[in-house]
Amino acid sequence: MRVLLLGAGGYLGRFVADRLLADPAVQLTALGRGDDADVRFDLSTGSPGALTRFLDAVHPGVVINCAGAIRGTASELTRHNTVATATLCESLRRSGCRARLVHIGCAAEYGPSQNGSSIAEDAVARPGGPYGVSKLAATELVLGSGLDAIVLRVFSPTGPGTPAGSPLGRLADSLRRAMQHGDSELKLGGLAVQRDFVDVRDVARAVHAATLSAAQGVVNIGTGHAVRLREAAAALARISGYAGTLHELEGPPPPRQSPETVGGQHPLPAVGPYPDGCGPWQQADVRTARDRLGWRARISLEESLADIWMEAACRM
């Protein structure tokens, strides 16, 4: 099976590439903006015609879209997430390769949900920020394209390679700095937020399963269990061997601060109360992934946190 992977150099894309390369039946070609790509092409600025010619030459059976941006202005997010997806869909429609499209969406497309609920794929999407809006627009483009396509709505990916700007990445960095400075108390804010954390390697397994499946439409990729950030912080402190006290600041997360020590403490930086626009609670209904992809999460949050800490500790 010839597979074209877009965004192979990104956080999710790297693990998807590793998973596919481990399958001897897959012949993988990576297309992207970086020097490590097999073919250089920027979806956000490239023309559908150029990409169509490439698709006709390579003739992939599956195209996986892991490309996009999670930060930036509204116009930048629109260009990298929405416009890029429009270019891809148009190119696939023009091409004679008839490839199946596996598109990576995100839980931010849903926006806030009721505390204690599990979000199913038929929930009304009401994104609470520009990132979620740009990703939802991309999903709608894929679903309305007429292509053989599936959208995997990934909840909160974690594990090795977790970006330092993510909630768990910031927790690990705060612990690292506290241990480096010998602080006996670590003040953290915003720990009441609950998210469905799914290991990035499990996400890669889901993408692989989607390439082999005939399933179409939207499929949630998560664990089906929301975890309070407070519990993740306690587990991460235990894994790191931090002997000090975790002190939770009341209220929403503080405004973004310098990553350096602030008044002897290390508040968990954040853009706002809920930077992802998803409110205090989010949990996936994962029955569709189980029934249609034969997939379920395998890697525990404890293992994901251990890998996050291993990488943070290497920076000490």
Side-chain angles (χ1 to χ4, degrees):
M1 177 173 62
R2 189 184 294 272
V3 177
L4 177 64
L5 174 60
L6 292 85
Y11 173 41
L12 293 181
R14 293 195 301 272
F15 288 92
V16 171
D18 289 345
R19 176 76 186 185
L20 294 174
L21 288 170
D23 184 347
V26 171
Q27 184 178 350
L28 183 65
T29 300
L31 184 149
R33 291 177 290 173
D35 293 334
D36 54 347
D38 297 318
V39 178
R40 293 283 297 273
F41 187 83
D42 188 341
L43 267 183
S44 65
T45 59
S47 72
L51 184 54
T52 299
R53 289 190 292 274
F54 177 76
L55 290 170
D56 286 337
V58 175
H59 216 77
V62 178
V63 175
I64 302 171
N65 184 22
C66 292
I70 59 174
R71 295 182 186 85
T73 64
S75 61
E76 289 169 340
L77 291 169
T78 299
R79 184 171 71 253
H80 288 290
N81 295 332
T82 312
V83 174
T85 302
T87 296
L88 176 58
C89 290
E90 180 62 23
S91 301
L92 284 167
R93 280 196 299 266
R94 294 182 185 181
S95 171
C97 69
R98 300 294 182 265
R100 173 170 171 78
L101 174 59
V102 179
H103 176 77
I104 306 303
C106 72
E109 297 174 39
Y110 288 119
S113 59
Q114 184 177 356
N115 188 50
S117 66
S118 292
I119 308 172
E121 289 84 356
D122 59 357
V124 177
R126 294 189 178 94
Y131 172 63
V133 169
S134 70
K135 290 294 289 183
L136 177 60
T139 290
E140 295 297 337
L141 285 168
V142 171
L143 297 180
S145 67
L147 299 168
D148 172 14
I150 184 171
V151 176
L152 302 182
R153 270 196 182 138
V154 178
F155 276 63
S156 298
T158 188
T162 294
S166 69
L168 294 182
R170 292 196 298 270
L171 278 172
D173 204 46
S174 294
L175 279 166
R176 176 186 62 79
R177 294 197 307 271
M179 294 175 73
Q180 282 181 317
H181 292 281
D183 294 336
S184 60
E185 184 181 54
L186 178 59
K187 292 185 177 182
L188 301 169
L191 300 185
V193 171
Q194 298 182 72
R195 290 291 181 265
D196 190 331
F197 296 106
V198 56
D199 193 274
V200 66
R201 292 160 293 192
D202 278 333
V203 175
R205 285 180 43 248
V207 173
H208 190 195
T211 67
L212 303 173
S213 167
Q216 297 183 340
V218 175
V219 177
N220 288 339
I221 302 299
T223 65
H225 301 285
V227 175
R228 198 178 300 273
L229 200 54
R230 180 185 305 122
E231 298 169 11
L236 197 54
R238 183 179 67 253
I239 290 167
S240 70
Y242 176 65
T245 302
L246 297 183
H247 179 71
E248 183 175 356
L249 300 173
E250 295 184 1
R256 182 177 293 280
Q257 302 183 35
S258 165
E260 302 304 321
T261 302
V262 179
Q265 303 299 337
H266 306 271
L268 180 65
V271 175
Y274 308 108
D276 57 6
C278 296
W281 167 276
Q282 199 172 56
Q283 177 177 284
D285 182 327
V286 295
R287 289 175 294 179
T288 301
R290 179 196 64 201
D291 297 342
R292 301 183 67 189
L293 300 181
W295 175 92
R296 66 178 63 198
R298 295 177 181 170
I299 299 174
S300 68
L301 181 58
E302 189 87 4
E303 182 176 343
S304 300
L305 292 172
D307 289 327
I308 291 173
W309 176 249
M310 183 180 297
E311 293 179 347
C314 288
R315 298 193 294 271
M316 293 182 69

